[in-house]
Amino acid sequence: MKQINLCGAWRIRDVDPDSDNGPAAPDFDASQWTAAEVPGDVHSALLAAGRIDDPYFGKNDLECRWIEERDWWYRSCFVPPELEDGERCYLIFEGLDTFATVFLNGSEIGGHDNMFTPAVFDCTDLLIPGRSNTIAVRFASTSMRIRDKDLSKTWSAFDEHRIWVRKAQMSFGWDWAPRLVTVGIWRPVLALVFRKARLLDVFPHTQRIASRNAQFSVEVNVEVADPSAPLQIEARMNVDEGPRYQRLPVVDGRATFRYEVAEPRLWWTHDLGEPYLYEIDLRLLDGDEELDRREVPLGIRTFELIREPDPEGRGKSFTFLLNGKKIFCKGANWIPADSMIGTIRAQRYRQLIGMARDGNMNMLRVWGGGIYENEAFYDTCDRMGILVWQDFMFSCAAYPEWDDDFKASVTMEATAVVRSLRRHPCLALWCGCNEIQWQHDVRNWNKRTLPPYGESIFDEMLPAICSKLDPSRPYWPGSPYGGDDHNSALEGDSHNWQVWSGVVPGRSFGERPRFDPSPKNVNYRNYAEDTSRFLSEFGIQASPVLGTLLRNIPHNSCALGGDQFNHRIKDADLERKDRMFLAHTGMPENLAEYETLSMLVQAEGLAFCVEHLRRLKYHSSGALVWQLNDCWPGISWSLIDYYAVPKAAYYYLKRAFSPILLSLCDHHGNIELWGTNDTLAEYSDTVKLQSGAFSGGADTSEELPIAIPPNSSVLLHSVSSSTLSHIDPAQRYVWVQSLTRPSLRNRLFFAELKDLKLPDAKISVEIHQPPTQFEGCHRLEVTLKSDQFACFAHIKEPIDGKLSDNYFDLLPGEPRTVLLIQPGEAAAEARQLTAKALNSA
């Protein structure tokens, strides 16, 4: 087995869609073409060559629209080795975006029209061993290909024509993404030389976990080129007692190894244990000759979706079991990390997924309008202990299931994707689509007989493929889905877009949808009425840090509400943000106030929702925020901006997602203290509960011993709100804090943020370098202290480094120390750190 890496420097050129295929000829002079990195895309190549301005700056994305109207050629050369007797050579493109025709030495060897699946060509007979061989790929204009397609039976949010092409749907523009219709070789390319057979995919499947052992299988699939070869696979698996060897014959292109391991080390999410990975070494043999070899990490774990009738007759549960233990899923929705999708590298995945893990998240939902992510994404989730809810790539549209070519492409896509990803222990669930069944019903609420086009894909094709190829995981038809209304709070998973968008909840099939975008209805306090079984989308839009905006808006155009500012927002209703301000903070008067107030509303609202849902554990079993990350430096619902700078909500949710949570609520005239414990052991502590007014010290204070049973949420203490009736609600607060873990704290206000009578606070910053350091970075302790109650106190971002916490409240005179980890060269800059609060000068 020989692999020739064909990534790296290629050449590209645009041509008229009606031009001929002359550039495929080996002697064609492409020396003056533009250099392009593979994997990559045309946009990033043109940007690197200076042929276009940064699409993310100003309105430059509009100036790049010509790219999608042109055909594009890619060219490269390689020198293959001499082929031995019986050897074959495959040209493998792991991702072509999208309508591609491939040529080798001037001859067409095939075409491809699905961004999500590999393109494999047997080029043995056209290869010239030992000499330069020319590869050329022509990409037809996606826009031109789909422009005249039939739309009479379909509907679509955003671009209507996108339904006809199997590529990232968000590239046509979304309510958080610019239109950037990418084109190019977006995943690696290689030439593979092999003889007789090669290894394909591997499927580890845990059948059973008992108290002291686990039983699992490893299915290995093989492509057999020589049926007469007596093929065998040798497997060596390293377990605690030493390596185990097995050798099995390949029968019908497959061999299945079965194991029983005593005292297994299970794969857990990072918050419940260690995401332990075993290694299995596979060798494909013809006698003693090794034809192929692969090392595969595998996790021993079981995963189930429990949907049981509610004992009180209120619908059905939607709870995941990991290794037999209920798990409350805490996390966010994931979108592609860059609109120029081919530029996303493994380090970017490690950075963002690491931030999710550090933010106490245990699940990411790969949303259905983007891409099936690169292997580096799933490998990182495996190793970091993050579960993945995996959508198939269908979103907010009716898809042409009646078209035979379209269905054939989707069948090939789903089969390839399931085979590729099923080996990952992080993968929790297959989901058919995003917001299709729900939106179809909302659009056609009084036409119940109208077929939702795409239904046969989500209800028949995809579940059949998943059941056949991956019986180890549940399949779910869509998100949201379940109950009498596909967005019912009683069954299945749901999306809460009452807050922010004004969707009125609680309808049933056949009822007219209602929308009320008033400040009262979009108020985030309405989250307190949400009793969803699993809330898989909810979000509030917020600004990134001011530096991100200033970096991407022309200096003379950087004004709140200006044309350039509004271009950063892709949400069609620009007044939604204003309604949130009116409900909670009052209107900002300038860009700096917009940054602060939008972040404040997002942070307070999302934490409010998460704490509420965690108090309902396991009536509610999950909270996935919309959205974790950004694909460009815009204004969106993300927790982390395009440059990986956290917004305030990231830190609020880090605290709200903590395995141990203390939360406060004002419930029917009582102030309640709740304890939530996501660990598998009881948590005992002593907490200090105090109340007071911003203008003075604590009015009441008491110490309470608490005990929170494992994997539960319980009411710890309750007191009548009337005990605080002598304090002006705009001055009143309640504070709870652990006496053994100072970072375990929370507070409750009794008036809207805009109505709070906060005193003027002065915040000091002290920096101390602890003696213990790590190679390549500096650890600094940063202590904030305020002379008055300080709300939303924070160290100003962006910072060249990572903060353990930020954006929190300070009691008068009580210090709060956070850790700042910086690269070695950045430590001196920390001496210039400044802090502010909502109520500081």
Side-chain angles (χ1 to χ4, degrees):
M1 173 79 69
K2 307 180 191 76
Q3 289 190 15
I4 305 168
N5 182 3
L6 301 180
C7 297
W10 287 54
R11 294 274 176 180
I12 64 170
R13 177 188 170 182
D14 63 299
V15 296
D16 189 89
D18 296 327
S19 62
D20 62 26
N21 289 325
D27 58 354
F28 188 91
D29 183 10
S31 61
Q32 301 304 307
W33 287 16
T34 301
E37 187 72 15
V38 170
D41 55 56
V42 166
H43 287 82
S44 60
L46 297 181
L47 176 61
R51 286 189 55 190
I52 60 172
D53 293 326
D54 184 353
Y56 298 158
F57 183 82
K59 294 186 175 183
N60 289 343
D61 56 306
L62 303 179
E63 304 301 320
C64 296
R65 295 283 178 89
W66 64 272
I67 295 171
E68 66 181 79
E69 303 291 336
R70 305 285 287 169
D71 281 15
W72 289 88
W73 282 93
Y74 272 68
R75 276 179 62 106
S76 185
C77 298
F78 76 108
V79 179
E82 295 288 341
L83 299 184
E84 299 178 8
D85 186 39
E87 285 188 327
R88 311 294 300 174
C89 182
Y90 282 2
L91 193 57
I92 301 176
F93 296 85
E94 294 185 13
L96 293 170
D97 180 14
T98 295
F99 294 105
T101 306
V102 181
F103 301 83
L104 180 64
N105 297 325
S107 297
E108 182 179 331
I109 60 174
H112 202 67
D113 61 2
N114 191 315
M115 174 184 185
F116 303 127
T117 59
V120 181
F121 305 100
D122 186 344
C123 60
T124 307
D125 296 337
L126 291 174
L127 209 64
I128 307 173
R131 294 174 53 190
S132 179
N133 287 245
T134 300
I135 309 171
V137 183
R138 180 173 187 162
F139 290 96
S141 163
T142 295
S143 297
M144 299 291 284
R145 278 289 186 97
I146 64 178
R147 182 166 293 168
D148 297 325
K149 287 288 190 177
D150 178 21
L151 302 177
S152 62
K153 300 178 182 179
T154 65
W155 59 266
S156 172
F158 312 104
D159 186 287
E160 292 183 306
H161 296 86
R162 65 180 173 84
I163 62 169
W164 282 101
V165 56
R166 297 308 298 147
K167 83 181 256 94
Q169 302 286 271
M170 48 76 72
S171 69
F172 295 90
W174 219 263
D175 54 5
W176 38 262
R179 182 183 178 99
L180 211 70
V181 182
T182 52
V183 57
I185 303 175
W186 75 289
R187 279 183 170 161
V189 189
L190 69 145
L192 181 71
V193 177
F194 71 99
R195 61 189 299 271
K196 297 185 180 179
R198 67 182 182 115
L199 294 173
L200 292 176
D201 57 275
V202 179
F203 176 36
H205 179 191
T206 304
Q207 277 85 25
R208 176 176 172 271
I209 296 175
S211 59
R212 302 183 67 85
N213 64 70
Q215 295 173 349
F216 65 96
S217 61
V218 179
E219 176 188 306
V220 185
N221 290 282
V222 178
E223 178 183 345
V224 179
D226 181 0
S228 67
L231 302 175
Q232 292 184 311
I233 298 177
E234 179 186 87
R236 185 191 73 182
M237 182 172 172
N238 294 317
V239 293
D240 288 345
E241 59 265 30
R244 290 191 187 179
Y245 291 89
Q246 290 190 59
R247 185 178 287 201
L248 294 176
V250 175
V251 179
D252 296 328
R254 180 183 299 112
T256 301
F257 297 88
R258 304 191 184 280
Y259 293 90
E260 182 166 337
V261 175
E263 305 292 346
R265 302 172 69 176
L266 303 182
W267 187 93
W268 291 98
T269 51
H270 68 94
D271 53 337
L272 292 180
E274 181 186 6
Y276 188 81
L277 295 173
Y278 290 88
E279 294 282 341
I280 187 166
D281 186 7
L282 302 168
R283 298 173 65 221
L284 177 62
L285 303 171
D286 176 17
D288 292 329
E289 179 188 1
E290 181 178 292
L291 302 177
D292 198 358
R293 185 170 192 162
R294 189 174 304 171
E295 291 184 357
V296 180
L298 63 90
I300 298 177
R301 66 105 175 103
T302 58
F303 201 80
E304 304 170 69
L305 173 59
I306 303 301
R307 299 190 64 238
E308 298 175 337
D310 189 285
E312 299 180 6
R314 297 180 298 169
K316 292 182 180 179
S317 63
F318 195 93
T319 303
F320 291 111
L321 265 64
L322 176 62
N323 300 326
K325 303 294 184 182
K326 287 184 178 181
I327 180 172
F328 189 98
C329 297
K330 303 170 292 189
N333 287 260
W334 173 279
I335 64 169
D338 205 304
S339 283
M340 291 183 276
I341 291 172
T343 65
I344 307 169
R345 300 293 185 255
Q347 187 278 333
R348 180 75 165 164
Y349 287 121
R350 289 192 293 269
Q351 179 185 35
L352 290 171
I353 297 169
M355 293 178 74
R357 177 201 58 198
D358 294 345
N360 291 316
M361 300 181 192
N362 60 20
M363 176 177 274
L364 295 173
R365 174 187 171 220
V366 177
W367 169 78
I371 59 174
Y372 307 100
E373 289 294 341
N374 294 330
E375 282 292 330
F377 172 89
Y378 303 96
D379 287 340
T380 303
C381 289
D382 285 344
R383 297 189 183 281
M384 291 191 180
I386 301 285
L387 292 168
V388 174
W389 170 309
Q390 179 67 57
D391 282 6
F392 286 94
M393 293 299 116
F394 302 90
S395 186
C396 300
Y399 286 88
E401 62 183 4
W402 65 86
D403 185 89
D404 290 341
D405 290 340
F406 183 87
K407 289 192 75 170
S409 181
V410 170
T411 300
M412 176 185 70
E413 170 190 322
T415 300
V417 166
V418 174
R419 283 188 174 278
S420 172
L421 299 184
R422 61 184 178 169
R423 72 174 179 86
H424 291 281
C426 68
L427 196 65
L429 172 136
W430 297 105
C431 179
C433 63
N434 172 73
E435 290 189 354
I436 291 180
Q437 295 94 338
W438 176 42
Q439 286 198 23
H440 172 84
D441 184 63
V442 167
R443 289 167 178 264
N444 303 285
W445 63 273
N446 58 347
K447 302 173 184 177
R448 296 292 299 155
T449 60
L450 185 69
Y453 290 111
E455 186 176 48
S456 67
I457 296 173
F458 314 129
D459 291 354
E460 299 170 22
M461 177 199 298
L462 294 179
I465 290 171
C466 290
S467 176
K468 177 182 178 181
L469 298 179
D470 187 9
S472 69
R473 291 178 179 86
Y475 172 84
W476 192 243
S479 180
Y481 188 86
D484 186 8
D485 172 22
H486 291 304
N487 199 22
S488 170
L490 297 177
E491 293 187 33
D493 72 308
S494 56
H495 295 182
N496 186 323
W497 289 112
Q498 173 187 10
V499 177
W500 183 260
S501 294
V503 177
V504 177
R507 68 178 288 270
S508 298
F509 290 132
E511 293 182 356
R512 181 190 296 273
R514 292 180 295 139
F515 297 88
D516 176 9
S518 67
K520 180 180 179 181
N521 191 53
V522 303
N523 187 308
Y524 67 66
R525 298 192 187 281
N526 289 312
Y527 282 137
E529 306 303 317
D530 194 312
T531 57
S532 295
R533 294 300 184 165
F534 193 108
L535 195 56
S536 49
E537 275 193 27
F538 62 106
I540 298 172
Q541 193 183 87
S543 172
V545 295
L546 197 56
T548 292
L549 293 180
L550 298 178
R551 182 173 172 180
N552 291 282
I553 298 177
H555 177 68
N556 58 358
S557 303
C558 197
L560 178 64
D563 192 45
Q564 287 281 356
F565 170 86
N566 288 340
H567 191 71
R568 296 287 111 192
I569 303 174
K570 298 306 179 185
D571 189 358
D573 186 352
L574 293 175
E575 293 183 3
R576 285 174 175 166
K577 66 183 187 313
D578 297 340
R579 297 177 194 121
M580 295 299 292
F581 289 135
L582 291 172
H584 297 290
T585 64
M587 294 296 294
E589 295 183 357
N590 53 55
L591 204 56
E593 285 190 7
Y594 171 76
E595 174 206 31
T596 298
L597 296 184
S598 65
M599 277 202 194
L600 177 63
V601 171
Q602 183 192 44
E604 292 282 344
L606 297 184
F608 181 91
C609 183
V610 167
E611 291 178 359
H612 162 71
L613 293 174
R614 292 189 69 189
R615 287 193 289 268
L616 296 181
K617 182 182 180 175
Y618 277 102
H619 176 91
S620 180
S621 297
L624 305 182
V625 174
W626 184 267
Q627 64 209 67
L628 179 72
N629 56 315
D630 261 330
C631 64
W632 82 306
I635 296 171
S636 77
W637 295 260
S638 70
L639 306 177
I640 302 167
D641 78 14
Y642 176 73
Y643 301 111
V645 179
K647 300 179 185 179
Y650 171 82
Y651 295 103
Y652 268 61
L653 288 175
K654 180 178 181 178
R655 298 189 290 269
F657 282 149
S658 174
I660 305 296
L661 172 69
L662 299 175
S663 64
L664 294 158
C665 64
D666 190 356
H667 186 244
H668 298 308
N670 290 313
I671 300 169
E672 296 181 348
L673 169 63
W674 283 75
T676 304
N677 179 4
D678 287 346
T679 75
L680 302 181
E682 181 178 88
Y683 179 79
S684 297
D685 201 349
T686 299
V687 301
K688 183 178 182 180
L689 182 66
Q690 65 185 67
S691 62
F694 300 134
S695 58
D699 184 64
T700 64
S701 179
E702 59 180 317
E703 294 183 4
L704 301 171
I706 63 168
I708 312 174
N711 208 5
S712 67
S713 189
V714 295
L715 176 62
L716 297 173
H717 186 70
S718 179
V719 61
S720 173
S721 302
S722 63
T723 60
L724 298 177
S725 61
H726 60 288
I727 304 176
D728 179 358
Q731 284 261 357
R732 185 190 309 166
Y733 71 88
V734 173
W735 185 280
V736 64
Q737 184 168 339
S738 164
L739 295 183
T740 61
R741 295 172 57 184
S743 62
L744 187 59
R745 58 174 71 183
N746 216 327
R747 55 90 169 132
L748 179 66
F749 293 155
F750 294 85
E752 287 292 353
L753 296 163
K754 62 185 177 182
D755 298 322
L756 295 179
K757 297 177 181 178
L758 293 164
D760 293 335
K762 295 180 180 179
I763 300 175
S764 63
V765 179
E766 292 185 1
I767 300 171
H768 172 69
Q769 183 169 310
T772 304
Q773 296 293 322
F774 295 97
E775 184 177 353
C777 66
H778 280 260
R779 289 160 46 95
L780 298 173
E781 292 176 351
V782 183
T783 301
L784 274 58
K785 184 187 288 188
S786 176
D787 63 337
Q788 301 284 345
F789 189 104
C791 178
F792 207 56
H794 56 279
I795 301 164
K796 289 289 289 178
E797 300 269 15
I799 297 164
D800 189 6
K802 182 169 67 173
L803 286 167
S804 62
D805 202 0
N806 208 4
Y807 297 94
F808 42 73
D809 297 342
L810 294 171
L811 290 176
E814 292 194 12
R816 181 76 177 270
T817 299
V818 300
L819 190 65
L820 172 60
I821 300 176
Q822 293 190 296
E825 299 301 320
E829 298 177 14
R831 306 298 172 186
Q832 309 302 318
L833 290 178
T834 60
K836 66 175 296 185
L838 186 65
N839 54 316
S840 66

